[in-house]
Amino acid sequence: MPVVLTASERHRLKKMTYGHKTPHRARQRATIVLLAARGRPNARIAAQTRLHVDTVRTWQGRFAAGGMSALADRKRSGRPVSFTALQAAEVKALACQLLAETGVPLSRWSCPGLAREVVARSIAGSISASTVRRWLKQDALKPWQYRSWISLRDHAFRPKAARVLDLYAHTFDGVTLGQDEYVISADEKTSFQARCRCHPTLAPGQARAMRVNHEYDRGGALAYLAAYDVHHARVFGRCEPKTGIRPFMNLVTQVMTTEPYASARHVFWIVDKCLASFMSRDGGCTRVWEAPVSKVG
């Protein structure tokens, strides 16, 4: 296939060929294209680059068909996923449970011990200690170094976690969510202190840094309620003097009166048990699913 280069393509290929930081594969492919653009046959290019003639023919054809972007490696499928997100969540939840609750005759959890317990509980057919160690490292969990006091108090952890993780993965009941279906994750943060400086801050001047007085007056505590669209990276927030049914429903009204949520087919809200009780008592939601929570002692 004939190779015709534009001025910009020729300039980029020359930089790839003579660049000191260019990977060896990219340098070979750029050299093949430049030599092919000069009209040299594939056999001569193969002899000059010390590559097989089929390799020369392959990259020449890819460039002629796709241009500069075709010189990059194609996306590889890779090894299929062996474990689901739900299984990883269950392993992390198991690592946070007390050993006395599991009935395991151990003093501390270890990665091999967790792997054996995962198989014994049929969470996974087989799993290695290195996989367990990698999952725990993602959340900085080291149960073998300390005794955890976090324990699950929700016996329906598995079905609730599966439903929440499916929604985060853009599916519900095994069906992919449509373009007019959204997932909102909401929570609250209490005891934000409102402070005001007793003296105004002086702006910086010539040979003078900004001057900020350390004294301040307390203006009371506020609660911040936020809702996050997990698939479209939109955040809705508001400050309220306290938490409760009305402040949270104000947040729900703020979101549900805004497009595209006002005209959406379904809007799934993922909340904790506290906010779920607000939504259930308000009566505005027909189905409320709270996320699984942990008890901290």
Side-chain angles (χ1 to χ4, degrees):
M1 299 180 65
V3 175
V4 180
L5 300 177
T6 62
S8 60
E9 290 177 342
R10 187 180 299 275
H11 178 69
R12 290 181 58 186
L13 289 171
K14 286 184 177 180
K15 290 186 64 176
M16 292 173 60
T17 304
Y18 300 106
H20 296 287
K21 297 183 179 180
T22 305
H24 182 64
R25 293 180 179 179
R27 182 180 293 108
Q28 286 181 331
R29 297 165 190 176
T31 303
I32 291 172
V33 175
L34 286 174
L35 294 177
R38 298 176 184 175
R40 297 185 181 180
N42 292 336
R44 184 178 176 183
I45 297 175
Q48 185 173 348
T49 58
R50 296 182 180 180
L51 296 173
H52 197 276
V53 66
D54 292 340
T55 303
V56 174
R57 187 181 298 108
T58 297
W59 290 111
Q60 181 182 353
R62 287 192 186 181
F63 181 85
M68 292 293 299
S69 59
L71 295 181
D73 291 337
R74 292 178 178 176
K75 186 176 180 181
R76 295 178 173 87
S77 59
R79 188 176 64 179
V81 178
S82 303
F83 304 97
T84 63
L86 176 60
Q87 290 175 320
E90 287 187 290
V91 172
K92 294 176 183 178
L94 179 62
C96 293
Q97 292 187 27
L98 295 177
L99 289 170
E101 297 179 357
T102 60
V104 179
L106 298 174
S107 59
R108 296 176 185 272
W109 275 124
S110 63
C111 290
L114 281 170
R116 290 191 296 267
E117 187 67 15
V118 168
V119 176
R121 295 190 176 208
S122 300
I123 297 176
S126 62
I127 188 171
S128 62
S130 60
T131 301
V132 175
R133 186 178 296 106
R134 184 176 67 254
W135 288 349
L136 297 182
K137 186 178 180 181
Q138 293 175 356
D139 292 342
L141 297 176
K142 299 180 180 180
W144 53 87
Q145 291 186 358
Y146 54 87
R147 179 179 178 180
S148 174
W149 64 89
I150 302 177
S151 59
L152 295 175
R153 68 179 182 186
D154 196 337
H155 299 288
F157 176 84
R158 183 182 180 89
K160 290 181 179 181
R163 186 180 297 117
V164 171
L165 292 173
D166 285 345
L167 288 175
Y168 283 159
H170 210 270
T171 59
F172 178 70
D173 286 343
V175 181
T176 304
L177 297 180
Q179 296 183 355
D180 56 347
E181 294 179 316
Y182 302 90
V183 178
I184 302 294
S185 180
D187 204 352
E188 58 184 354
K189 177 65 177 178
T190 58
S191 300
F192 271 110
Q193 291 193 16
R195 302 175 181 178
C196 58
R197 297 288 176 181
C198 297
H199 303 282
T201 301
L202 298 180
Q206 185 176 5
R208 186 190 68 190
M210 178 184 292
R211 296 181 179 179
V212 181
N213 189 266
H214 70 281
E215 296 181 343
Y216 59 87
D217 290 332
R218 298 179 182 272
L222 296 175
Y224 181 75
L225 293 88
Y228 177 67
D229 189 336
V230 297
H231 297 138
H232 299 86
R234 300 193 187 106
V235 179
F236 301 87
R238 61 184 303 113
C239 290
E240 296 285 351
K242 60 181 182 180
T243 60
I245 300 177
R246 291 185 179 179
F248 180 67
M249 294 313 298
N250 292 338
L251 175 66
V252 176
T253 304
Q254 176 184 345
V255 177
M256 299 306 295
T257 55
T258 305
E259 292 295 341
Y261 311 101
S263 58
R265 180 185 178 188
H266 291 120
V267 178
F268 300 90
W269 285 74
I270 300 177
V271 298
D272 56 15
K273 286 184 176 294
C274 181
L275 297 183
S277 62
F278 295 159
M279 300 179 73
S280 300
R281 283 183 285 175
D282 181 76
C285 298
T286 57
R287 302 169 72 182
V288 176
W289 300 310
E290 67 273 11
V293 298
S294 298
K295 178 181 178 181
V296 179

